[in-house]
Amino acid sequence: MQYSQGNLGRIFALRLEDGELMPQTLEDFLVAQGLTHGLAFMVGGAEDGSRLVVGPEDGRALPVNPMVTALIGAHEVLGVGTIFPNETGRPVLHMHGACGRERATITGCIRAGIKTWHILEIIVLEITGLAATRLPDAATGFHLLQCTPQE
């Protein structure tokens, strides 16, 4: 296990409008605010055609080959994610969401692209003082969180 301890910093509330994209819109906002570490919560609507990563084709094959699915019709959506900088210092959101329509729900990682259906509300909690970065992992193809505890 790796860990790093931090403190609560700024808190932001955002409203994404019809057609705006996640995670791109949020990550661009984070860059503009100089926020590199945090936690994000999302609630609202996902447009028809939004895409989720819904698992690996084979859970043990390396490198991982992701399965991507597109939503059919507008969906209610909620998600939670972490924000950590990559090797260049740019903040990267890792968020999983559940998208529901009628009695069906699709859950997955939003990195393939969620398009806002009328409104997405995002709450961002900044975490300061962390020594944590997402670094590339050659075996999996993921950018894995690397933490360094402070003395």
Side-chain angles (χ1 to χ4, degrees), residues 115-139:
K115 186 174 183 180
T116 301
W117 177 79
H118 292 291
I119 187 170
L120 272 178
E121 296 172 350
I122 312 289
I123 301 295
V124 176
L125 307 178
E126 181 180 38
I127 304 172
T128 62
L130 288 179
T133 307
R134 293 192 199 284
L135 298 176
D137 178 67

Side-chain angles (χ1 to χ4, degrees), residues 62-64 135-144:
L62 294 176
V64 174
L135 298 176
D137 178 67
T140 62
F142 296 143
H143 282 71
L144 299 178

Side-chain angles (χ1 to χ4, degrees), residues 64-93:
V64 174
N65 189 18
M67 296 171 25
V68 178
T69 193
L71 300 180
I72 299 171
H75 281 63
E76 301 294 326
V77 62
L78 59 87
V80 63
T82 58
I83 301 160
F84 293 104
N86 64 15
E87 64 275 16
T88 68
R90 181 174 172 83
V92 176
L93 176 68

Side-chain angles (χ1 to χ4, degrees), residues 14-36:
L14 294 84
R15 186 187 90 191
L16 277 64
E17 297 183 32
D18 196 48
E20 289 189 298
L21 301 175
M22 277 287 287
Q24 297 89 339
T25 301
L26 179 58
E27 288 177 351
D28 290 345
F29 172 82
L30 298 172
V31 168
Q33 295 300 318
L35 192 154
T36 56

